[in-house]
Amino acid sequence: MTIKAYGAHAADKPLQSIDIERRPPGPQDVQIDIAYCGVCHSDLHTVRSEWGGTLYPCVPGHEIVGHVSAVGSGVTGFKLGDTVGVGCLVGSCQHCAACDEGLEQYCENGFVGTYNGPTADAPGHTLGGYSQRIVVDEKFVLKIRHPEAQLAAVAPLLCAGITTYSPLRHWKVGPGSKVGVVGIGGLGHMGVKLAHAMGAHVVAFTTSDSKRQAALDLGANEVVVSRNADEMKAHVNSFDFILNTVAASHSLDAFTGLLKRDGTLVLVGVPEHPHPSPSVANLIFKRRAIAGSLIGGIAETQEMLDFCAEKGIVSDIEMIPAQKIDEAYDRMVKGDVKYRFVIDNASLGR
Ligand code: NAP
Ligand code: ZN
């Protein structure tokens, strides 16, 4: 069926209203009427082809929440009316070592992204959540247990939430850990909330002096304005773990130098241009590590949603109609959002 979406026809074109097709639900499919979709910096990188390889028309959006409006005959986990979410993944091979461990994001045969991924559906690549409706294999649909009134603020958990939750768990952050979160944007503000909820001592690193109080309100124990060398120096050799969410190229040495012996700096931000090569001396003298982490698997995403529902954690959002998306992207590039834009998908029909 034909539905309304918001997307771009080229890297240098603004997003606009377009009509797209969704397949009728197959036996294993869940059809979801999308209520809200979060706006991730990856949407912007993709739609403007900053990473290359973008297929057009491009309909971004992988922080999807809504309600089930139809299910296939073989679907067992969902029924009409259920409140559900879809994150960054809508498919994977289901038989490699990674999929067997529930790590579909590391699928050895390539996962299918919610947008810009391979599919038999028209137009030959997946189209994301800036749309009225989506049809997804039930294995990639998440249950949402937050109160309905919080639904819009739950949307960003589907990418920003899981992308920060997964490395915090993998590197065993908890009471007694000193954790840094670099870049207080969509991902970073969730990183602060989640690390705080896990019991860590959290230090927020921001380039924006104006976010100093706001970061404390999110749950940070301390805030460091990273442009201020004296403030940085006070934390040398002290962190177990630092999560770097920054969406732009910068020197990593200022942060590796803050790690303790055996501490790890995990990169989740994927800038358009590479970071300068980090100092080897900074790493070898204290056996420090730089690592990366990609979103999270389906089971862990459900675990994160349930953890957040239990602790009352949602994202801090600014709701926009789809028609304001280009303006929102420009503000996001400037760091001018507290802390996640969320599209009200009802605006797509207007
Ligand atoms: P965002 O909301 O734009 O936040 C990025 C933050 O980085 C900014 O708010 C800003 O925080 C800081 N920053 C400092 N200097 C910057 C600069 N020159 N340009 C842009 N930001 C700067 O973005 P996001 O949605 O959190 O995404 C962050 C990055 O993670 C993106 O590259 C995105 O593609 C990537 N990502 C990766 C994964 C993964 O699986 N690894 C998943 C989702 C997103 P301050 O004002 O506090 O300095
Ligand atoms: Zn994302």
Side-chain angles (χ1 to χ4, degrees), residues 18-83:
I18 58 176
D19 290 343
I20 63 166
E21 293 296 320
R22 292 297 188 197
R23 66 176 182 258
Q28 308 304 324
D29 283 337
V30 176
Q31 175 181 291
I32 301 159
D33 286 358
I34 304 175
Y36 305 102
C37 184
V39 178
C40 179
H41 208 113
S42 302
D43 301 353
L44 187 166
H45 289 305
T46 304
V47 88
R48 296 185 177 174
S49 204
E50 291 180 350
W51 296 330
T54 301
L55 303 167
Y56 295 92
C58 173
V59 175
H62 58 205
E63 293 183 338
I64 297 167
V65 293
H67 302 98
V68 174
S69 55
V71 292
S73 55
V75 169
T76 54
F78 299 92
K79 59 178 190 324
L80 225 61
D82 282 355
T83 305

